[in-house]
Amino acid sequence: MMRIIVVGAGGRMGRNLVRAIAGEGLELAGATERPGSDLLGRDAGELAGIGSLDVPIIDELQQCPQADVLIDFTLPESSLAHARFAAGSGMRMVVGTTGFTAPQLHDFKSILSENAVVMAANFSIGVNLTLGLIRRAAEVLDESYDAEIIEAHHKAKVDAPSGTALAMGRAVAEGRAVDFNEQAVYTRHGHTGQRENGSIGFSVIRAGDIVGEHTTMFAAAGERVEIRHVATDRMTFANGAVRAAKWLQHQSSGFYDMCHVLDMQ
Ligand code: NAD
């Protein structure tokens, strides 16, 4: 049976991941939290609301029993440390952490250059389908259509725009065959002047307990196309991550995303 370690097991996603692993009948080999967390010593299953799994949450990844895959939805700095561990042990890794800076992402990929890794800003099947639809729409709806991405998340989210919103922006740029970094506009405040033709704008809402909502809008004189995805339950991401872990078991080293897992390239 496949054995999985969940780092950040006490977090919003961590608890859902523990539930998804148990729901698939897979084995939770270990569970960690950050040093100093008041969740250390608690049972990961009990914390996830599914009863004891006899897996106490610890703060030393090195102390976890041997496993096939490490699933990480934490923070960029923590994911870098976890990547060093996975590189040393040859463990496969599924990574959902968002908010990496470009240098962090570069380091992350070079640390894991010999490992098999699935990394995605969003593990839901619906979002990955949506990315394909946006790419296709942007091929047809050229720069005469203003592309804007609006995202909303709960107030505890620490990075903005969301990794999914950025992935949607990149999908627009790919569909139009333009450089995403040159077209992205992240802030508008004060006397901004008129909208630059071809730019890809981002708007961010942080409020309450919103799980994740994304709209990509293509607006021109006389019409508007909106492609929208709404996540209502984090289990959609957790189930996608566990699906990725199962898929990864049969892959050789390489950096993959959810499109590979879902065979949607
Ligand atoms: P959260 O703050 O609820 O959970 C993160 C957990 O990681 C916390 O419990 C924290 O204590 C723990 N942690 C931090 N450093 C650690 C360390 N060194 N070792 C072990 N545990 C550590 O956050 P969340 O809402 O669960 O989101 C986590 C990340 O996942 C964010 O980057 C978020 O954007 C991302 N996310 C991705 C997807 C996706 O589909 N890719 C979906 C939802 C969230």
Side-chain angles (χ1 to χ4, degrees):
M1 190 201 294
M2 194 176 156
R3 292 162 57 78
I4 301 178
I5 294 173
V6 174
V7 289
R12 280 175 289 265
M13 277 305 301
R15 296 176 197 218
N16 282 283
L17 286 162
V18 169
R19 283 170 55 201
I21 289 164
E24 282 291 310
L26 305 175
E27 186 177 340
L28 182 70
T32 74
E33 256 301 328
R34 64 178 165 74
S37 165
D38 51 16
L39 300 175
L40 296 176
R42 299 274 304 274
D43 183 86
E46 277 175 7
L47 207 53
I50 54 171
S52 175
L53 293 174
D54 218 8
V55 179
I57 295 184
I58 60 174
D59 61 0
E60 285 279 336
L61 187 47
Q62 292 77 357
Q63 304 295 319
C64 286
Q66 197 65 23
D68 304 295
V69 181
L70 179 75
I71 305 188
D72 183 339
F73 284 63
T74 58
L75 290 167
E77 313 80 64
S78 308
S79 294
L80 276 161
H82 299 144
R84 285 185 201 98
F85 173 81
S89 62
M91 206 182 290
R92 291 172 156 72
M93 203 165 166
V94 172
V95 189
T97 305
T98 62
F100 286 86
T101 62
Q104 280 176 326
L105 190 58
H106 177 270
D107 288 352
F108 190 73
K109 288 187 171 175
S110 62
I111 292 167
L112 290 168
S113 60
E114 305 287 316
N115 291 56
V117 181
V118 177
M119 185 176 197
N122 197 305
F123 278 89
S124 96
I125 294 173
V127 156
N128 285 281
L129 172 69
T130 304
L131 291 174
L133 296 175
I134 293 168
R135 211 170 287 121
R136 175 73 189 117
E139 285 170 13
V140 178
L141 306 173
D142 64 13
E143 297 184 357
S144 63
Y145 286 74
D146 298 328
E148 291 285 318
I149 293 153
I150 304 113
E151 62 104 329
H153 280 89
H154 56 92
K155 64 188 191 188
K157 184 163 176 63
V158 293
D159 55 314
S162 70
T164 304
L166 293 169
M168 289 181 166
R170 289 198 185 90
V172 173
E174 280 163 26
R176 289 182 173 172
V178 297
D179 184 331
F180 170 69
N181 291 321
E182 282 177 12
Q183 302 300 337
V185 174
Y186 297 110
T187 55
R188 295 183 181 118
H189 180 241
H191 185 80
T192 60
Q194 286 195 6
R195 189 183 199 285
E196 287 274 347
N197 225 16
S199 58
I200 301 169
F202 290 88
S203 302
V204 173
I205 295 163
R206 291 288 174 266
D209 61 354
I210 301 169
V211 173
E213 303 187 3
H214 295 86
T215 301
T216 298
M217 176 191 293
F218 296 91
E223 69 170 348
R224 194 162 79 226
V225 174
E226 294 184 4
I227 301 176
R228 178 166 164 78
H229 180 270
V230 178
T232 53
D233 191 324
R234 288 184 180 82
M235 277 305 279
T236 190
F237 311 126
N239 287 329
V242 171
R243 182 169 171 164
K246 287 165 83 175
W247 177 87
L248 201 50
Q249 255 196 318
H250 310 290
Q251 310 305 318
S252 48
S253 66
F255 240 83
Y256 305 98
D257 63 25
M258 258 327 250
C259 290
H260 296 104
V261 177
L262 300 172
D263 203 10
M264 278 173 33
Q265 296 105 302

